[in-house]
Coordinates of all heavy atoms in Angstrom, one line a residue:
G209 N 10.9 2.4 1.0 CA 11.9 2.3 -0.1 C 11.8 1.1 -1.0 O 12.8 0.7 -1.6
V210 N 10.6 0.5 -1.1 CA 10.4 -0.6 -2.0 C 11.3 -1.8 -1.6 O 11.8 -2.5 -2.5 CB 10.4 -0.3 -3.5 CG1 9.7 -1.3 -4.3 CG2 9.8 1.1 -3.7
N211 N 11.7 -1.9 -0.4 CA 12.5 -3.0 0.1 C 11.6 -4.3 0.1 O 10.5 -4.3 0.6 CB 13.0 -2.8 1.5 CG 13.7 -1.4 1.6 OD1 14.5 -1.1 0.7 ND2 13.4 -0.7 2.6
T212 N 12.2 -5.4 -0.5 CA 11.3 -6.5 -0.8 C 11.8 -7.7 0.0 O 13.0 -8.2 -0.2 CB 11.4 -6.9 -2.3 OG1 11.0 -5.7 -3.0 CG2 10.4 -7.9 -2.6
A213 N 11.0 -8.3 0.9 CA 11.4 -9.5 1.6 C 11.3 -10.7 0.7 O 10.4 -10.8 -0.2 CB 10.4 -9.7 2.8
S214 N 12.3 -11.6 0.8 CA 12.3 -12.8 -0.1 C 11.2 -13.7 0.4 O 10.8 -13.6 1.6 CB 13.6 -13.5 0.0 OG 13.8 -14.1 1.2
L215 N 10.7 -14.6 -0.5 CA 9.7 -15.5 -0.1 C 10.2 -16.4 1.0 O 9.4 -16.7 2.0 CB 9.2 -16.3 -1.3 CG 8.6 -15.4 -2.4 CD1 8.1 -16.2 -3.5 CD2 7.6 -14.4 -1.9
D216 N 11.4 -16.8 0.9 CA 12.0 -17.7 1.9 C 12.0 -17.0 3.3 O 11.7 -17.6 4.3 CB 13.4 -18.0 1.5 CG 14.2 -18.7 2.5 OD1 13.8 -19.9 2.9 OD2 15.2 -18.1 3.1
W217 N 12.4 -15.7 3.3 CA 12.5 -14.9 4.6 C 11.1 -14.9 5.2 O 10.9 -15.0 6.4 CB 13.0 -13.5 4.2 CG 13.3 -12.7 5.4 CD1 14.5 -12.6 6.1 CD2 12.5 -11.7 6.1 NE1 14.5 -11.7 7.1 CE2 13.3 -11.1 7.1 CE3 11.2 -11.2 5.9 CZ2 12.8 -10.1 7.9 CZ3 10.7 -10.3 6.7 CH2 11.5 -9.7 7.7
L218 N 10.0 -14.7 4.3 CA 8.7 -14.6 4.9 C 8.2 -15.9 5.5 O 7.6 -16.0 6.5 CB 7.7 -14.2 3.8 CG 7.9 -12.7 3.3 CD1 7.0 -12.5 2.0 CD2 7.4 -11.7 4.4
Q219 N 8.6 -17.0 4.8 CA 8.2 -18.3 5.3 C 8.9 -18.6 6.6 O 8.3 -19.1 7.6 CB 8.7 -19.4 4.3 CG 7.8 -19.4 3.0 CD 8.5 -20.1 1.8 OE1 9.7 -20.5 1.9 NE2 7.9 -20.0 0.7
R220 N 10.2 -18.2 6.7 CA 10.9 -18.4 8.0 C 10.4 -17.5 9.1 O 10.4 -17.8 10.3 CB 12.4 -18.3 7.8 CG 12.9 -19.5 6.9 CD 14.4 -19.6 6.9 NE 15.0 -18.4 6.4 CZ 15.8 -17.5 7.0 NH1 16.2 -17.8 8.2 NH2 16.3 -16.5 6.4
L221 N 9.9 -16.3 8.7 CA 9.3 -15.4 9.7 C 8.1 -16.0 10.3 O 7.8 -16.0 11.5 CB 9.0 -14.0 9.1 CG 8.3 -13.0 10.0 CD1 9.2 -12.6 11.2 CD2 7.9 -11.7 9.3
E222 N 7.3 -16.6 9.4 CA 6.1 -17.3 9.9 C 6.4 -18.4 10.9 O 5.8 -18.5 12.0 CB 5.3 -17.9 8.7 CG 3.9 -18.5 9.2 CD 3.2 -19.2 8.1 OE1 3.8 -20.1 7.4 OE2 2.0 -18.9 7.9
K223 N 7.4 -19.2 10.5 CA 7.9 -20.3 11.4 C 8.4 -19.7 12.8 O 8.1 -20.2 13.8 CB 9.0 -21.1 10.8 CG 8.4 -22.0 9.6 CD 9.4 -23.1 9.3 CE 8.9 -23.9 8.1 NZ 9.6 -23.5 6.8
L224 N 9.2 -18.6 12.7 CA 9.7 -18.0 13.9 C 8.5 -17.6 14.8 O 8.6 -17.8 16.0 CB 10.5 -16.8 13.5 CG 11.2 -16.0 14.6 CD1 12.5 -15.4 14.1 CD2 10.3 -14.9 15.1
C225 N 7.5 -17.0 14.2 CA 6.4 -16.5 15.0 C 5.7 -17.7 15.7 O 5.4 -17.7 16.9 CB 5.4 -15.8 14.1 SG 5.9 -14.2 13.6
R226 N 5.5 -18.8 14.9 CA 4.9 -20.0 15.5 C 5.7 -20.5 16.7 O 5.2 -20.9 17.7 CB 4.7 -21.1 14.4 CG 4.0 -20.7 13.2 CD 2.4 -20.9 13.3 NE 1.8 -20.3 12.1 CZ 1.4 -19.1 12.0 NH1 1.5 -18.2 13.0 NH2 0.8 -18.7 10.9
R227 N 7.0 -20.6 16.4 CA 7.9 -21.1 17.4 C 7.9 -20.4 18.8 O 8.0 -21.0 19.8 CB 9.3 -21.1 16.9 CG 10.2 -22.2 17.3 CD 11.5 -22.4 16.5 NE 12.2 -21.2 15.9 CZ 12.2 -21.0 14.6 NH1 11.7 -21.8 13.8 NH2 12.9 -19.9 14.2
H228 N 7.7 -19.1 18.7 CA 7.7 -18.3 19.9 C 6.3 -17.8 20.4 O 6.2 -16.9 21.2 CB 8.6 -17.1 19.7 CG 10.0 -17.4 19.4 ND1 10.8 -18.0 20.4 CD2 10.8 -17.3 18.3 CE1 12.0 -18.3 19.8 NE2 12.0 -17.9 18.6
G229 N 5.3 -18.5 19.8 CA 3.9 -18.1 20.2 C 3.5 -16.7 19.9 O 2.7 -16.1 20.6

Side-chain angles (χ1 to χ4, degrees):
V210 201
N211 308 314
T212 308
S214 72
L215 302 184
D216 170 66
W217 191 87
L218 291 170
Q219 287 156 4
R220 289 190 303 119
L221 177 62
E222 182 184 54
K223 288 199 185 98
L224 180 151
C225 287
R226 304 274 174 270
R227 212 163 34 247
H228 298 292

